[in-house]
């Protein structure tokens, strides 16, 4: 028998009490671990959302996004006023337009389908019908059957090496399949065409097509990864401005910022420089709308974590105080026969550690089992409110989407939150249990120190 | 040799000051068996707790082999209690979830005696006070009052103390068992050369001790 074995043995002196304390304490440790898991998982998600958003600032003509809206294009002067703002590393400037059969020999790679027809009817666009007959503004219920093909998007860019970030509307990823990329300041009549346009129009590297009534040579063939983005032709910026008679005009500028923390500074500087001629947005501030509910969950889980640890410490503290009071006389006797305060306290701490160790086993089990479901529950509950708050709706029926960022993808991330439960969680659990035990029994030890051995002379 | 000089212990209760022990002086040579009698509230328990260093006197000195224990620091007091003193209480005060043997081993553990030696000495002592092998392995709850008090005496003897202090050790026992416990203490005082001071109400017992003191209102008188 020694301090340790007596402490462990004392932990089982009152089996019913020990059992209940271990269960309650186990629940509190389980809750704190669950909250820790949720906290980490959500934190990781916030990190990855921030990382995926990237350090870019988007500038579009005031009132226009891609081919929607109206207003006047951006100018070369606009680009000059923002491209050397502090923290801006580089820029991607583009001019987008549409090729139809009236100014180009290219056939669209997409069939109209029901969505295309509906969109055509509802919008103010006039598309060239495949029959060769131009269709006017088709009001809703305009009647009559007509057909059209979605136009081919043509984009002039000053950053042919950074195509994924810039001109590829619809979130594609640029992969060069054959040929090569033209240089950034090229003025030659050259183009990159997508694999689908190339096959639809029998184009190979070296062959030519007509655009704006000019022969343009294919220098490379790319794949953008999705059908919408693949209905696209990419030209050097100067060539596109020249051919479409829009010298100096731009439809979008993307600024690459040195760090995500400077994105909002650059956004406001660009806004100030451009005034009312442009709309300046950044994905970071848009992503903030998405991140805010996650951050709320993060702080809720942090508070719950702290609360659960405190609750655990209080449970063990009260238990130990109760036990110390109950064994007041015994403590006095041990002191009277030569036991030091340190030995008595040690014995009680071992007892408290025994309680919390058993509780930790239960708690870790609970944490491992409940960590993921509870994280998901928390996230799902608050992401339903997030979708109300997020201005970017799912937007069914938007066939043509260009510019801006797809936040549907971000929101999908909510459901992908998955807590990784590793050894560190178990170690945290044991550490939390140990802290709880030491704090709880340490405070109770003050009561032990106050027990005077002379009290044992009194007969109860 | 135990030398007590003019010790006082004052208790404050509210505005009132109670002198539980009020200027007690006496000395007992090694190996003597002394008894203290006195009415309830006369300060007997208080005096014993001062002698056993469970409490400190308000004034005065207590010398054990020339060392004044009232001047000891907390650490030395614990060692003094552990090595020089054996306590026997009226209500036995055994640790309820330890067996008889483990109770006897407890003070030896505090004194730093090795595990094997503790075990052997505990069994020897318990056999000396008359417990059977079966009883040695039982917890106090399954021993009679007389058996528990024997275990308490064995525990008091565990570290071969200089001084055994017994506060009404027979108070909870019938007179026959009480006499047996007393004879046990008496025998030990002789064989181990241990000084024993016992507080008792039983004047018949008190009459048989080497020395007999009476406490009255905190003052001690020796009865011849
Ligand atoms: N902690 C204390 N605070 C106040 N008064 C105390 C305290 N301890 C003892 N006393 C008082 O000191 C006096 C002596 O008490 P003590 O317990 O020594 O008596 P006793 O002789 O052992 O009595 P009994 O035979 O009933 O056990 C009593 O009047 C008691 O009320
Ligand atoms: Mg008393």
């Amino acid at each position: 028998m020694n301090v340790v074995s007596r402490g462990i043995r004392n932990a089982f002196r009152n089996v019913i009490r020990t059992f209940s304390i271990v269960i309650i304490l186990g629940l509190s440790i389980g809750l704190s671990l669950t909250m820790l898991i949720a906290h980490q998982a959500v934190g990781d998600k916030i990190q990855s959302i921030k990382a995926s958003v990237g350090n870019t600032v988007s500038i579009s003509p005031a009132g226009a996004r891609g081919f929607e809206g109206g207003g006047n294009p951006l100018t070369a002067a606009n680009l000059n006023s923002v491209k050397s703002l502090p923290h801006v590393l580089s820029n991607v400037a583009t001019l987008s337009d549409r090729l139809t059969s009236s100014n180009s020999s290219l056939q669209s790679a997409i069939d109209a389908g029901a969505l295309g027809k509906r969109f055509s009817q509802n919008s103010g666009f006039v598309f060239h019908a495949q029959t060769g007959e131009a269709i006017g503004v088709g009001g809703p219920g305009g009647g009559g059957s007509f057909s059209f093909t979605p136009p081919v998007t043509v984009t002039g860019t000053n950053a042919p090496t950074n195509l994924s970030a810039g001109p590829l509307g619809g979130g594609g990823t640029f992969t060069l399949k054959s040929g090569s990329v033209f240089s950034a300041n090229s003025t030659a009549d050259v183009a990159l065409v997508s694999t689908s346009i190339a096959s639809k129009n029998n184009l190979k590297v070296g062959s030519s097509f007509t655009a704006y009534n000019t022969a343009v040579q294919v220098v490379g063939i790319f794949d953008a990864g999705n059908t919408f983005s693949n209905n696209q032709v990419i030209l050097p910026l100067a060539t596109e401005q020249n051919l479409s008679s829009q010298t100096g005009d731009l439809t979008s500028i993307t600024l690459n910022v040195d760090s995500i923390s400077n994105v909002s500074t650059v956004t406001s500087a660009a806004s100030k420089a451009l005034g009312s001629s442009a709309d300046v947005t950044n994905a970071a501030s848009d992503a903030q709308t998405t991140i805010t509910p996650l951050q709320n969950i993060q702080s809720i889980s942090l508070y719950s974590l702290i609360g659960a640890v405190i609750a655990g410490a209080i449970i063990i503290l009260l238990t130990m105080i109760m036990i110390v009071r109950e064994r007041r006389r015994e403590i006095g006797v041990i002191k009277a026969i030569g036991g030091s305060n340190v030995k008595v306290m040690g014995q009680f701490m071992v007892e408290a550690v025994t309680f919390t160790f058993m509780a930790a086993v239960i708690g870790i089990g609970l944490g491992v089992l409940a960590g993921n479901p509870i994280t998901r529950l928390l996230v799902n509950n608050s992401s339903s409110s997030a979708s109300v708050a997020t201005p970017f709706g799912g937007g069914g029926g938007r066939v043509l989407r260009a510019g801006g960022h797809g936040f549907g993808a971000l929101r999908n991330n909510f459901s992908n939150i998955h807590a990784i439960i590793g050894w560190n969680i178990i170690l945290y659990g044991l550490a939390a249990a140990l802290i709880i035990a030491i704090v709880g029994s340490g405070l109770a030890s003050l009561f032990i120190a106050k027990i005077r051995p002379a009290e044992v002379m009194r007969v109860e | 040799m135990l030398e007590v000089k003019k010790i006082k212990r004052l208790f404050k209760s509210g505005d009132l000051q109670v002198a539980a022990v009020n200027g007690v002086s006496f000395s007992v040579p090694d190996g003597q068996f002394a008894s203290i009698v006195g009415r309830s509230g006369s300060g007997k328990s208080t005096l014993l707790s001062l002698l056993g260093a469970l409490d400190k006197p308000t004034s005065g000195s207590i010398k054990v082999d020339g060392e004044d224990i009232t001047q000891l620091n907390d650490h030395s007091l614990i060692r003094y209690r552990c090595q020089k003193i054996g306590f026997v209480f009226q209500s036995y005060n055994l640790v309820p979830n330890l067996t008889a043997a483990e109770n006897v081993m407890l003070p030896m553990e505090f004194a730093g005696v090795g595990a094997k030696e503790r075990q052997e000495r505990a069994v020897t002592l318990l056999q000396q006070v008359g417990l059977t092998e079966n009883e040695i392995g039982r917890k106090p709850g399954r021993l009679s009052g007389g058996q528990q008090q024997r275990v308490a005496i064995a525990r008091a003897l565990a570290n071969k103390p200089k001084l055994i202090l017994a506060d009404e050790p027979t108070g909870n026992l019938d007179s026959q068992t009480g006499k047996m416990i007393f004879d046990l203490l008496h025998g030990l005082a002789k064989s181990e050369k241990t000084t024993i001071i016992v507080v008792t109400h039983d004047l018949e017992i008190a009459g048989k001790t080497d020395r007999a003191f009476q406490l009255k209102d905190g003052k001690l008188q020796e009865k011849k």
Side-chain angles (χ1 to χ4, degrees):
Chain A
M1 290 300 276
N2 55 36
V3 169
V4 174
S5 59
R6 264 200 309 281
I8 293 173
R9 211 156 111 178
N10 280 346
F12 296 97
R13 252 163 100 161
N14 186 333
V15 176
I16 293 170
R17 179 172 65 196
T18 302
F19 184 76
S20 0
I21 287 164
V22 164
I23 294 284
I24 297 169
L25 202 56
L27 286 174
S28 102
I29 292 174
L31 180 61
S32 33
L33 280 185
T34 306
M35 288 303 130
L36 180 67
I37 290 166
H39 187 75
Q40 285 186 342
V42 173
D44 289 351
K45 194 79 243 168
I46 290 174
Q47 256 355 84
S48 82
I49 288 176
K50 278 186 175 166
S52 73
V53 160
N55 311 345
T56 58
V57 172
S58 308
I59 302 169
S60 355
R65 293 288 184 286
F67 296 109
E68 294 179 53
N72 293 314
L74 297 166
T75 62
N78 289 152
L79 176 59
N80 284 333
S81 66
V82 296
K83 73 179 182 190
S84 20
L85 285 172
H87 307 299
V88 174
L89 296 177
S90 63
N91 65 77
V92 178
T94 64
L95 174 63
S96 298
D97 198 4
R98 283 171 161 148
L99 293 175
T100 60
S101 47
S102 64
N103 61 6
S104 169
S105 65
L106 282 182
Q107 298 254 328
S108 173
I110 307 177
D111 292 330
L115 285 171
K117 282 175 192 160
R118 187 174 83 202
F119 186 70
S120 174
Q121 276 179 311
N122 292 345
S123 75
F125 292 117
V126 181
F127 294 136
H128 188 82
Q130 270 186 335
T131 53
E133 185 190 349
I135 307 292
V137 175
S145 71
F146 61 93
S147 66
F148 84 104
T149 43
V152 174
T153 302
V154 55
T155 304
T157 178
N158 69 346
T161 52
N162 191 14
L163 288 167
S164 297
L168 288 179
T173 314
F174 179 91
T175 321
L176 190 66
K177 291 290 183 190
S178 61
S180 57
V181 173
F182 48 79
S183 69
N185 49 11
S186 168
T187 53
D189 294 336
V190 292
L192 299 170
V193 300
S194 71
T195 47
S196 48
I197 297 243
S199 68
K200 185 94 178 182
N201 296 284
N202 292 319
L203 295 171
K204 288 192 287 289
V205 173
S207 51
S208 299
F209 61 92
T210 316
Y212 307 105
N213 307 314
T214 309
V216 178
Q217 196 188 20
V218 176
V219 292
I221 294 175
F222 68 88
D223 180 19
N226 69 64
T227 311
F228 177 77
S229 301
N230 267 344
N231 195 30
Q232 188 157 222
V233 172
I234 297 167
L235 269 57
L237 179 62
T239 308
E240 169 61 16
Q241 287 174 333
N242 207 7
L243 293 180
S244 62
S245 317
Q246 303 180 83
T247 311
D249 287 357
L250 298 169
T251 50
S252 90
I253 300 171
T254 305
L255 301 176
N256 295 313
V257 181
D258 56 3
S259 113
I260 196 157
S261 52
N262 292 323
V263 166
S264 62
T265 320
V266 171
T267 305
S268 38
S271 250
K272 211 170 151 199
L274 297 171
S276 61
S277 66
D279 287 338
V280 183
T281 58
N282 64 62
S285 70
D286 295 335
Q288 193 57 46
T289 326
T290 315
I291 288 173
T292 304
L294 285 178
Q295 282 172 331
N296 290 341
I297 299 169
Q298 218 188 4
S299 43
I300 290 168
S301 59
L302 184 63
Y303 295 140
S304 310
L305 166 66
I306 295 167
V309 171
I310 291 175
I314 289 175
I315 292 167
I316 201 78
L317 171 64
L318 294 180
T319 304
M320 293 321 287
I321 289 176
M322 179 166 83
I323 291 176
V324 167
R325 291 187 67 140
E326 194 179 281
R327 300 203 200 129
R328 209 181 164 79
R329 189 172 194 86
E330 183 180 324
I331 293 167
V333 171
I334 290 177
K335 288 186 179 183
I337 64 174
S340 60
N341 269 329
V342 175
K343 287 215 161 128
V344 184
M345 287 176 191
Q347 186 181 316
F348 274 80
M349 284 200 185
V350 170
E351 188 169 347
V353 169
T354 308
F355 285 140
T356 45
F357 183 78
M358 291 188 288
V361 172
I362 291 176
I364 289 168
L366 283 176
V368 168
L369 288 180
N372 264 315
I374 288 187
T375 305
R376 250 177 267 133
L377 198 71
L378 281 172
V379 169
N380 286 344
N381 280 348
S382 73
S383 69
S384 50
S385 58
S387 37
V388 177
T390 309
F392 296 88
R398 280 167 60 123
V399 172
L400 295 169
R401 186 181 61 170
H405 287 261
F407 278 89
L410 281 185
R411 196 162 334 96
N412 285 343
N413 283 338
F414 275 137
S415 54
N416 296 336
I417 289 185
H418 184 83
I420 298 146
I421 299 159
W423 284 105
N424 61 336
I425 292 293
I426 292 170
L427 289 179
Y428 283 136
L430 290 175
L434 209 63
I435 290 170
I436 287 172
I438 287 169
V439 169
S441 60
L443 286 173
S445 291
L446 298 179
F447 290 84
I448 293 174
K450 269 171 51 184
I451 295 176
R452 297 182 319 119
E455 286 175 31
V456 287
M457 302 299 273
R458 316 264 148 235
V459 179
E460 275 170 354
Chain B
M1 182 77 162
L2 171 70
E3 287 176 281
V4 177
K5 277 204 185 107
K6 293 185 194 161
I7 52 166
K8 267 192 188 172
R9 180 66 170 97
L10 304 176
F11 288 113
K12 270 204 198 95
S13 59
D15 297 338
L16 228 74
Q17 270 210 344
V18 183
V21 173
N22 194 5
V24 168
S25 301
F26 68 98
S27 64
V28 183
D30 286 352
Q32 266 197 352
F33 190 9
S35 64
I36 299 174
V37 293
R39 276 214 296 260
S40 181
S42 57
K44 305 181 296 291
S45 296
T46 307
L47 178 59
L48 278 199
S49 63
L50 294 174
L51 297 180
L54 299 184
D55 196 7
K56 283 195 172 179
T58 314
S59 65
S61 71
I62 302 166
K63 282 190 179 157
V64 180
D65 292 340
E67 188 180 30
D68 188 352
I69 63 162
T70 62
Q71 305 298 317
L72 295 177
N73 60 26
D74 284 355
H75 185 76
S76 311
L77 277 181
I78 291 167
R79 221 182 44 223
Y80 169 76
R81 286 204 292 262
C82 183
Q83 291 172 347
K84 298 272 174 77
I85 304 289
F87 271 107
V88 180
F89 306 96
Q90 181 179 348
S91 47
Y92 325 130
N93 282 336
L94 299 175
V95 179
N97 78 325
L98 301 182
T99 63
E102 285 162 351
N103 265 287
V104 177
M105 279 151 67
L106 204 52
M108 292 190 263
E109 180 197 317
F110 297 143
V113 177
K116 193 161 175 278
E117 203 187 326
R118 295 204 295 255
Q119 175 75 38
E120 283 167 5
R121 180 158 169 78
V123 172
T124 313
L125 283 169
L126 284 166
Q127 281 168 348
Q128 269 178 23
V129 298
L131 258 71
T132 66
E133 200 161 323
N134 179 281
E135 286 157 357
I136 287 171
R138 287 193 216 159
K139 289 182 181 172
R142 299 180 56 215
L143 293 170
S144 74
Q147 287 163 344
Q148 286 187 59
Q149 197 61 301
R150 286 160 196 265
V151 176
I153 289 170
R155 183 177 68 183
L157 291 168
N159 286 331
K160 299 184 178 139
K162 199 116 198 96
L163 182 62
I164 287 182
L165 302 168
D167 193 2
E168 298 185 41
T170 59
N172 283 356
L173 304 172
D174 63 83
S175 60
Q176 210 179 343
T177 315
K179 234 177 97 50
M180 275 163 64
I181 292 289
F182 221 86
D183 291 343
L184 191 62
L185 283 171
H186 203 141
L188 286 167
K190 296 292 156 248
S191 65
E192 306 267 321
K193 271 211 162 269
T194 309
T195 310
I196 298 183
I197 298 178
V198 63
V199 166
T200 182
H201 282 299
D202 191 332
L203 293 175
E204 191 193 337
I205 287 171
K208 287 196 227 161
T209 55
D210 304 333
R211 308 275 295 277
F213 296 98
Q214 183 171 28
L215 251 182
K216 212 172 186 179
D217 298 332
K219 306 249 189 217
L220 195 75
Q221 289 174 328
E222 183 151 14
K223 299 204 300 184
K224 289 281 142 76

